[in-house]
Amino acid sequence: MPRILVADDSETILLLLRTRLEMEGFDVDTAADGQEAIDVIYRSTQAPDLLLLDAMMPRKSGLDALRELRAVGLQTPALIVSAHAESGQGDDADAALGISGYITKPIDFEQLFVRIAELTGR
């Protein structure tokens, strides 16, 4: 069963994402910010199959967390969740970070599940 790590500073969004993803059969780990997401990965014995990271969070953003994780060799696919459409989608910086795509808030769950299926093969 694919495991997804969701990081978002909104408790409401974390709960909503966890509930919806678990209803679809995914194992879900959550984090309240980018630093906590890194800590969850370092404590785990197995890397998640997908990262779902909020772009803007306190302490460490999802993008900063992804930079740090890529620097230590984690190649897990990553979707960035943002309240704003990202103008840089698909550019060289995204490719260098291994960003697999963007999901905008409010989250369109149909679109999210399509992207998850593409990236996890489920």
Side-chain angles (χ1 to χ4, degrees):
M1 177 167 315
R3 201 166 117 241
I4 299 175
L5 173 60
V6 179
D8 199 296
D9 58 324
S10 165
E11 287 183 40
T12 303
I13 290 174
L14 274 182
L15 178 60
L16 178 62
L17 283 168
R18 173 181 222 123
T19 301
R20 291 294 303 268
L21 291 168
E22 287 178 344
M23 287 172 55
E24 294 295 319
F26 295 100
D27 288 328
V28 181
D29 293 318
T30 59
D33 61 42
Q35 185 59 54
E36 188 177 330
I38 291 168
D39 295 343
V40 167
I41 289 171
Y42 286 163
R43 284 193 311 262
S44 179
T45 58
Q46 177 184 345
D49 298 296
L50 178 70
L51 303 172
L52 190 57
L53 306 171
D54 187 10
M56 300 300 296
M57 293 182 283
R59 247 186 357 151
K60 189 170 285 195
S61 74
L63 295 172
D64 289 339
L66 188 57
R67 276 186 200 90
E68 186 172 323
L69 292 167
R70 295 296 190 235
V72 296
L74 185 75
Q75 296 303 313
T76 300
L79 290 173
I80 302 299
V81 180
S82 176
H84 308 286
E86 297 296 324
S87 59
Q89 291 182 25
D91 68 12
D92 291 340
D94 288 357
L97 275 179
I99 295 172
S100 302
Y102 288 85
I103 300 293
T104 56
K105 293 179 184 178
I107 295 170
D108 176 338
F109 280 94
E110 185 174 321
Q111 175 193 20
L112 175 63
F113 291 134
V114 166
R115 291 304 319 238
I116 289 172
E118 292 170 357
L119 296 170
T120 65
R122 182 172 187 273

